[in-house]
Amino acid sequence: MLDRLTEFFVFGFVPLVIGILAVPELSVAAEKAVRGEVIYRERIALPPSAVLSVQLADVSLADAPARIIGEQTVKPTGQVPISFEIKFDPSVIRSQITYALQARITVDGKLMFISDMRHQVDPLTDAPQTIMLKMVAPGTGPAAASVFGQLWVVDYVDGIGAITAPQATFRVSEAGKAGGSGPCNTYFATAKVDGQTIAISDIGSTYKACAPEVMAEEKALFDALTKAKSYKVDAGKLTISGKDGREILRFSAAS
């Protein structure tokens, strides 16, 4: 009788052990992807050295570079449309954060096409996206490229003159965001860059109060930004002009 009980417990326990060992591990977070295509209006084929870069970015902060969530680099052949697929971890996506797609095509390292309008997107959507690119005019490519992402320090504001302290800054992104630090408050705005033209609107800021002369400088800066019509980048300097072509803002690239 004892031998039978021993046989029951030993051999009856084996399937339980096997069952425990067979339990699968918890799966990692599912991978997500934003898919779509990039197009442009010109009926031209891309040269063999062309490279397309498409990024999914967090563009919520006006005074900071966009945070890249995912990116794909493609070497396209022929004409558009060019398909893309950006894979990312969906667990990094947060509600009430603004995400956008931004794309550019370079040829031998020189900018040829760029997305000059913000393409806002919900990264968790399954809807295919279409990004329209704009061709960079010959001779304006380097300038158009260098204005984006650089932190510019304000040197001169129309109606005020030179600004040295408190230091003010300005930044504009390819995703259509602009902003920086004013003489008193942090500010943010919407920007549209088309070739050498620039338009800045919807300026908002924090509500800190400073000395009257500092607030006057800040108001002059905001007023000048809303009057911006064109810009030029040369040797680490950015100048913005109004509708009459007169310079109203001057900046130096921050080191």
Side-chain angles (χ1 to χ4, degrees):
M1 181 66 177
L2 179 61
D3 291 340
R4 289 185 177 181
L5 287 174
T6 301
E7 181 180 348
F8 172 80
F9 282 114
V10 171
F11 291 97
F13 184 71
V14 171
L16 178 61
V17 174
I18 294 174
I20 293 174
L21 294 177
V23 174
E25 294 182 1
L26 292 176
S27 61
V28 296
E31 190 177 63
K32 189 73 176 174
V34 175
R35 300 177 178 87
E37 60 184 18
V38 169
I39 61 174
Y40 51 75
R41 292 189 175 91
E42 289 76 9
R43 296 184 178 180
I44 58 175
L46 294 169
S49 57
V51 176
L52 166 67
S53 174
V54 188
Q55 297 176 329
L56 171 63
D58 172 358
V59 296
S60 300
L61 299 178
D63 58 346
R67 184 171 66 92
I68 306 304
I69 306 299
E71 181 176 9
Q72 185 186 29
T73 300
V74 180
K75 290 188 176 181
T77 57
Q79 296 182 334
V80 292
I82 307 167
S83 298
F84 68 86
E85 180 183 56
I86 302 176
K87 297 180 180 180
F88 64 95
D89 180 357
S91 67
V92 305
I93 302 303
R94 299 289 182 265
S95 60
Q96 303 195 0
I97 294 294
T98 303
Y99 298 96
L101 290 170
Q102 48 197 35
R104 58 169 57 204
I105 295 175
T106 57
V107 177
D108 296 324
K110 296 181 179 179
L111 187 66
M112 184 175 183
F113 289 93
I114 193 167
S115 53
D116 64 335
M117 300 288 289
R118 178 192 288 187
H119 187 103
Q120 193 166 322
V121 64
D122 174 4
L124 302 180
T125 183
D126 292 325
Q129 304 296 311
T130 300
I131 306 175
M132 173 64 74
L133 301 187
K134 183 176 180 64
M135 191 173 190
V136 176
T140 64
S146 62
V147 72
F148 294 117
Q150 173 67 53
L151 182 65
W152 301 97
V153 178
V154 181
D155 294 330
Y156 168 87
V157 178
D158 185 44
I160 294 293
I163 290 184
T164 55
Q167 188 180 78
T169 62
F170 172 72
R171 190 194 299 269
V172 59
S173 75
E174 296 175 24
K177 301 277 282 186
S181 297
C184 183
N185 288 278
T186 299
Y187 68 97
F188 46 88
T190 299
K192 179 181 179 182
V193 178
D194 185 356
Q196 295 302 109
T197 66
I198 185 170
I200 300 170
S201 59
D202 303 325
I203 296 179
S205 71
T206 53
Y207 296 97
K208 186 171 65 173
C210 296
E213 61 273 17
V214 175
M215 299 304 292
E217 290 181 352
E218 187 161 275
K219 182 179 184 303
L221 171 63
F222 294 169
D223 288 345
L225 287 171
T226 61
K227 296 175 183 176
K229 297 297 180 183
S230 63
Y231 76 96
K232 182 175 72 171
V233 177
D234 184 34
K237 301 287 185 179
L238 167 65
T239 57
I240 292 181
S241 301
K243 64 180 181 180
D244 56 359
R246 183 173 58 87
E247 291 184 358
I248 55 177
L249 289 164
R250 289 200 294 267
F251 309 82
S252 295
S255 56

